Amino acid sequence: MAETLEFPDPSESAPAAPVERDALPARSAESTEQLLDALRESGPDRGCRTWWGGSQSSQTCAAVARHQLQEVMVHTHDARLALDAARPPPDEVALDGLDEFPSTCCSGTAAQPYQPAAVDHHATEGGSWRPLLSADGTWPLVLPTPPATTADASLRGTAAALVRPCTAVSRWTP
């Protein structure tokens, strides 16, 4: 019999966010430590509430930890851009982002309002991915090298350069 997990409503137990700018870094560090403690205590295979239920990604603590690493990568890059101090993420994190963002943030059964399309992403460090957009939804594929079929368009570059458009797409994909 499957385990039934009960999740409290986070809005009922979460303390109010500080409004003072100087208090935000400490609050962020405290919240991050609470998340890491909860994930460690639960273990990687435990079921976990996520917002990506209709995607190809699992709903486990390991998937949440993986996605949080990608979120940190994207938002750190955005913050560094704002400070005019941008630098690329580590290759292994960017390569994982090319796999994680499409399967977590962009895949699902929601019909796409676009013409069916296939856009390949080829990382110079190795690895190729193809998000497929169709009336049946969006599904990422990990491609063999070389791909067996031709895409409508192809992007080639470093994983760090390719992951940014991937994460931007995930923000507007219905």
Side-chain angles (χ1 to χ4, degrees):
M1 183 169 178
E3 177 184 10
T4 301
L5 301 175
E6 296 291 328
F7 297 106
D9 183 343
S11 63
E12 294 175 6
S13 60
V19 293
E20 302 84 26
R21 184 180 192 158
D22 293 343
L24 292 174
R27 169 61 183 201
S28 177
E30 178 186 344
S31 297
T32 300
E33 196 57 44
Q34 289 173 349
L35 174 63
L36 292 172
D37 288 346
L39 292 171
R40 283 185 198 112
E41 183 180 322
S42 297
D45 298 326
R46 181 151 187 198
C48 189
R49 182 189 338 210
T50 67
W51 55 263
W52 59 75
S55 79
Q56 292 180 334
S57 291
S58 66
Q59 292 184 282
T60 62
C61 290
V64 168
R66 181 184 188 200
H67 185 70
Q68 288 304 307
L69 175 62
Q70 297 304 323
E71 288 286 344
V72 166
M73 175 192 62
V74 169
H75 296 298
T76 298
H77 185 78
D78 290 344
R80 289 182 176 277
L81 275 177
L83 297 171
D84 200 26
R87 64 177 187 230
D91 289 345
E92 62 274 9
V93 177
L95 278 165
D96 186 55
L98 287 173
D99 186 56
E100 196 271 344
F101 271 107
S103 61
T104 300
C105 302
C106 299
S107 71
T109 57
Q112 294 295 314
Y114 318 107
Q115 291 295 321
V119 180
D120 288 355
H121 296 76
H122 303 286
T124 55
E125 298 89 344
S128 295
W129 297 262
R130 177 179 293 167
L132 299 171
L133 307 174
S134 75
D136 297 328
T138 305
W139 308 106
L141 303 173
V142 176
L143 298 175
T145 304
T149 60
T150 305
D152 298 305
S154 291
L155 302 172
R156 294 183 191 282
T158 65
L162 293 175
V163 76
R164 297 222 52 247
C166 253
T167 61
V169 166
S170 73
R171 294 180 185 146
W172 56 258
T173 299

